[in-house]
């Protein structure tokens, strides 16, 4: 592994891409520590040090921003608006015929959909930035902090608009940095920035577990977390790489005196075909009632019930609903992202067939049957991994700081595997070229 890493930096074009990607990462991390105008940075640090952030509502966005959300910096929203916009456009592509037609147009249609995603990202950044500023002004961003209401001393309209514009511009800058990595660096830019944002929170989370621990000065808790994390990473790598390969045979065709086709290939159906999307959907949906209850006045019965059963991540009702929603969204997203009838039609058009299955509708029914069977273990796996932070080390009281689980570890492993594959493929191209010479 170290030899391949050294060889990557010895290859001139690959070295330029790697160094360019590292440079963009440095710029991104610097931006996550620059506070926006109108915020009292000392009070923010006081609340972060002495009070517990409202992780139930803002934990997901704070993780995707690399901790910049709670520090209210220029990159406070991170890439969350872009992720949300991409998911919305994917869902609308199935519903709106115009977007579906653009998707089938190839590169030109994809460029149009990308442009729509950028516009929607800016609109969502304005909405989320306004909500974050309103939350910071009311003091609800931190719980139990005596200076939480003094984070934004000047609450005039001009200062509020300036803060929202600054965070929106920061989101646009993050989106631009991600596209630069995609065009001139290694890997998918947005995925790389997401990877860095999550990985940046690991050291502080692990050290907090050690500081809060009581057994052997916290080292037993620390070691247990690391051990559980390694087991979770091994499980995630194993399942993420698992796939069901459906064999496909293409019949031979004679065109003139030459014969075409006659090849054998396969359709790879991953066990986790939906990826991280069901976890994000389920988390976002469960945060909505807690967010409404937080801003609702009074102490009505429904508000107390929501705060007791849905707002707390370790509440039994929250865990059961979270698990069931992940399973539902796993099947839902697989159904809209993989169309067995379209795949069967394309196979029939080019003379392909699954051995033992007739082309056309029987092939679509077989693909749908196999997809439903492998989606069940994939959805159960997603639900169990997402609940690891809540269940693991609950006896130590460190579940809120447990970093190796749920959304974070799925993204870390997925992006890491994909980036390594891209570097490896470029190295193999170089080696094959040198060998042929």
């Amino acid at each position: 592994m170290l030899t391949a890493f050294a060889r990557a930096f010895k290859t001139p074009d690959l070295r330029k891409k790697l160094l360019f990607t590292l440079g963009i990462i440095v710029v991104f991390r610097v931006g996550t520590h620059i506070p926006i105008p109108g915020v009292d940075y000392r009070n923010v640090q006081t609340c972060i040090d002495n009070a517990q952030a409202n992780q139930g509502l803002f934990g997901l966005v704070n993780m995707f921003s690399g901790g910049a959300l709670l520090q209210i910096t220029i990159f406070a929203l991170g890439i969350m608006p872009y992720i949300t916009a991409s998911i919305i456009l994917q869902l609308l592509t199935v519903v709106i015929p115009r977007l579906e037609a653009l998707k089938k147009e190839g590169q030109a249609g994809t460029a149009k959909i990308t442009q729509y995603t950028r516009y929607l990202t800016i609109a969502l950044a304005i909405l989320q930035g306004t909500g974050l500023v309103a939350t910071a002004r009311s003091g609800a961003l931190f719980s139990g902090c005596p200076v939480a209401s003094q984070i934004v001393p000047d609450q005039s309209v001009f200062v509020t608009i300036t803060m929202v514009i600054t965070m929106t511009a920061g989101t646009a800058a993050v989106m631009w940095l991600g596209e630069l990595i995609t065009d001139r660096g290694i890997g998918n830019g947005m995925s790389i920035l997401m990877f860095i944002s999550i990985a940046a929170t690991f050291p502080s989370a692990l050290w907090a577990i050690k500081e809060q621990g009581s057994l052997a000065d916290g080292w037993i808790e620390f070691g247990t977390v690391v051990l559980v994390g390694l087991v979770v990473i091994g499980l995630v790598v194993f399942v993420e790489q698992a796939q069901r390969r459906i064999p496909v045979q293409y019949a031979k065709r004679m065109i003139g005196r030459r014969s075409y086709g006659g090849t054998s290939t396969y359709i790879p159906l991953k066990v986790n075909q939906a990826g991280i999307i069901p976890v994000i959907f389920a988390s976002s949906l469960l945060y909505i009632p807690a967010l409404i209850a937080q801003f609702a006045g009074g102490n009505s019965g429904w508000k107390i019930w929501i705060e007791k059963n849905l707002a707390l991540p370790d509440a039994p009702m929250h865990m059961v609903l979270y698990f069931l929603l992940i399973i539902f969204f796993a099947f839902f997203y697989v159904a809209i992202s993989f169309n067995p009838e379209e795949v069967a039609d394309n196979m029939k058009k080019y003379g392909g067939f699954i051995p033992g299955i007739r082309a056309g509708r029987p092939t679509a029914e077989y693909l749908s049957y196999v997809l439903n069977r492998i989606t069940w273990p994939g959805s159960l796996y997603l639900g169990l991994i997402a609940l690891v932070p809540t269940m693991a080390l609950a006896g130590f009281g460190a579940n809120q700081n447990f970093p190796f689980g749920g959304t974070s570890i799925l993204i870390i492993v997925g992006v890491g595997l994909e980036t390594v594959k891209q570097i490896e493929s470029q190295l193999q191209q170089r080696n094959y070229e040198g060998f042929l010479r």
Side-chain angles (χ1 to χ4, degrees):
M1 183 182 68
L2 295 177
T3 304
F5 186 76
R7 194 163 9 115
F9 275 92
K10 289 180 180 178
T11 306
D13 53 346
L14 191 54
R15 181 175 64 244
K16 289 180 181 179
K17 291 182 178 181
L18 289 172
L19 292 177
F20 180 82
T21 304
L22 292 175
I24 295 295
I25 289 173
V26 171
V27 173
F28 175 68
R29 288 304 300 163
V30 169
T32 57
H33 292 86
I34 301 176
I36 64 175
V39 174
D40 192 326
Y41 191 66
R42 293 182 179 178
N43 289 337
V44 171
Q45 291 302 312
T46 301
C47 289
I48 291 177
D49 295 337
N50 300 328
Q52 182 181 0
N54 196 336
Q55 294 290 328
L57 296 176
F58 306 105
L60 187 67
V61 183
N62 186 57
M63 181 187 66
F64 282 134
S65 66
L69 174 76
L70 297 181
Q71 296 184 13
I72 319 180
T73 64
I74 58 174
F75 290 167
L77 300 179
I79 57 175
M80 197 62 183
Y82 184 86
I83 296 172
T84 308
S86 300
I87 294 174
I88 291 174
L89 260 297
Q90 276 188 314
L91 297 177
L92 291 180
T93 302
V94 184
V95 179
I96 301 177
R98 168 63 179 163
L99 292 177
E100 187 176 0
L102 282 175
K103 185 179 179 181
K104 295 180 179 179
E105 288 181 5
Q107 188 174 359
T110 304
K112 275 280 188 183
I113 294 178
T114 302
Q115 196 67 20
Y116 294 155
T117 305
R118 293 170 183 163
Y119 295 148
L120 185 57
T121 299
I122 298 301
L124 291 175
I126 294 175
L127 291 175
Q128 293 182 13
T130 305
L132 177 59
V133 171
T135 306
R137 288 174 55 178
S138 65
L141 187 61
F142 296 92
S143 58
C145 180
V147 294
S149 59
Q150 301 175 14
I151 290 177
V152 185
D154 188 355
Q155 300 190 1
S156 62
V157 177
F158 176 77
V159 172
T160 302
I161 294 177
T162 303
M163 294 173 67
V164 173
I165 291 176
T166 303
M167 282 190 286
T168 304
T171 301
V174 170
M175 184 168 55
W176 178 60
L177 292 176
E179 292 180 355
L180 283 178
I181 293 178
T182 304
D183 294 337
R184 301 172 56 183
I186 287 290
N188 182 279
M190 292 301 171
S191 299
I192 294 292
L193 295 182
M194 196 187 309
F195 178 95
I196 296 300
S197 299
I198 297 172
T201 61
F202 275 24
S204 60
L206 287 172
W207 190 250
I209 291 176
K210 190 266 176 189
E211 291 293 318
Q212 295 175 5
S214 57
L215 302 176
D217 292 334
W219 288 110
I220 292 181
E221 289 90 342
F222 179 85
T224 306
V225 168
V226 173
L227 182 61
V228 172
L230 292 176
V231 173
V232 171
I233 290 175
L235 175 63
V236 171
V237 171
F238 178 77
V239 178
E240 290 295 322
Q241 297 286 79
Q243 56 183 223
R244 168 75 181 273
R245 297 181 176 182
I246 300 178
V248 178
Q249 181 73 34
Y250 285 91
K252 287 186 178 181
R253 293 178 299 166
M254 294 298 297
I255 301 178
R257 295 184 178 181
R258 302 186 64 177
S259 122
Y260 295 89
T263 58
S264 298
T265 182
Y266 61 86
I267 302 175
L269 296 179
K270 296 180 64 176
V271 173
N272 182 22
Q273 190 80 8
I276 193 63
I277 302 300
V279 179
I280 297 177
F281 275 16
S283 302
S284 303
L285 197 62
L286 280 178
Y287 288 161
I288 293 175
L291 188 64
I292 295 175
Q294 180 184 0
F295 289 102
N299 290 318
S300 56
W302 66 270
K303 178 180 178 181
I304 296 175
W305 187 88
I306 288 177
E307 291 177 348
K308 182 180 179 181
N309 296 285
L310 296 181
L312 299 176
D314 55 350
M317 179 70 71
H318 182 279
M319 295 172 64
V320 171
L321 286 178
Y322 191 35
F323 187 78
L324 295 177
L325 283 174
I326 288 175
I327 294 177
F328 168 76
F329 282 121
F331 279 91
F332 173 76
Y333 189 76
V334 168
I336 68 172
S337 61
F338 186 89
N339 189 349
E341 295 182 357
E342 184 178 348
V343 175
D345 290 341
N346 290 334
M347 289 170 52
K348 185 177 181 181
K349 186 186 301 182
Y350 294 102
F353 63 92
I354 300 174
I357 306 295
R358 294 183 61 183
R361 185 172 181 179
T363 299
E365 292 176 352
Y366 176 75
L367 290 174
S368 179
Y369 168 74
V370 174
L371 195 63
N372 286 334
R373 287 192 64 184
I374 66 174
T375 302
W376 269 112
S379 60
L380 294 175
Y381 145 81
L382 278 178
L384 291 176
I385 292 295
L387 289 177
V388 163
T390 306
M391 297 185 298
L393 304 179
F396 297 129
N399 58 326
Q400 291 298 320
N401 294 320
F402 185 68
F404 298 104
T407 314
S408 59
I409 202 64
L410 289 169
I411 294 175
I412 287 284
V413 172
V415 176
L417 290 174
E418 188 63 31
T419 306
V420 168
K421 286 180 182 178
Q422 290 198 19
I423 297 176
E424 186 180 2
S425 65
Q426 296 204 22
L427 283 174
Q428 287 179 350
Q429 290 175 2
R430 270 299 222 199
N431 291 339
Y432 290 153
E433 181 183 355
F435 176 75
L436 291 175
R437 283 181 181 175

